[in-house]
Amino acid sequence: MDDIVGETFLAAWRRRHELPDDPRPWLFGAARKVMLNADRTMRRQAALMVHIQSTEAPGHERAVDETAHVDSRIDLVAAWRSLASADQEVLALHIWEGLNARDAATVLNCTRAAYAMRLTRARRRLTSALRPAVPASPALSPKY
């Protein structure tokens, strides 16, 4: 709730020269938009986690054990939260919104090449954050 109020008044402060004589209706409208954006963000994050979890990495089998399923979801949430907001935004545009490179680059106000590089780096960081959660195969362990 404090975030909604804070963001609303921050927007009002930034547009203080444009506010009408009675700013209450404007403030209510701004607060409504902030609440809708927060709700949309939470739903998109939940959808992204479900989508990422439902796609299998090559060479990895789907866990049959439900506890492993819960553990992998917890690991995914932790990995997602460990990402910088810029990485989350790039991944969200690609996965949640399904935007192509041109449209996502327009949203981020950058070139397609810059967007593609950001997406590649964000994917690597997410994969890297998930890697410790994947148990190492004894066949792949170095032999001393």
Side-chain angles (χ1 to χ4, degrees):
M1 182 65 157
D2 290 338
D3 290 343
I4 293 169
V5 173
E7 287 186 45
T8 301
F9 279 95
L10 177 63
W13 175 256
R14 288 181 178 156
R15 301 180 128 212
R16 64 188 177 274
H17 301 292
E18 302 170 24
L19 291 177
D21 292 335
D22 181 12
R24 284 182 30 192
W26 186 93
L27 288 170
F28 285 125
R32 179 180 175 275
K33 290 176 185 173
V34 170
M35 289 187 313
L36 290 173
N37 283 338
D39 180 58
R40 194 170 29 251
T41 297
M42 288 186 332
R43 284 186 285 120
R44 288 177 178 168
Q45 286 179 348
L48 175 64
M49 287 182 219
V50 168
H51 178 76
I52 290 173
Q53 191 170 6
S54 68
T55 58
E56 294 182 28
H60 289 87
E61 295 181 15
R62 200 176 277 272
V64 178
D65 182 15
E66 287 302 315
T67 57
H69 179 69
V70 170
D71 289 342
S72 66
R73 184 168 174 95
I74 290 170
D75 293 338
L76 178 60
V77 169
W80 178 259
R81 289 182 179 162
S82 74
L83 293 176
S85 60
D87 287 342
Q88 290 176 356
E89 183 179 30
V90 169
L91 289 167
L93 288 173
H94 178 70
I95 295 170
W96 288 335
E97 301 298 338
L99 295 180
N100 62 31
R102 186 189 76 232
D103 294 339
T106 301
V107 169
L108 296 175
N109 195 25
C110 65
T111 65
R112 276 192 265 180
Y115 168 76
M117 181 57 69
R118 290 179 189 178
L119 180 60
T120 300
R121 290 176 178 165
R123 283 177 173 165
R124 280 190 207 138
R125 289 183 190 112
L126 180 61
T127 301
S128 176
L130 284 170
R131 219 170 254 139
V134 178
S137 169
L140 299 177
S141 298
K143 296 180 182 180
Y144 298 100

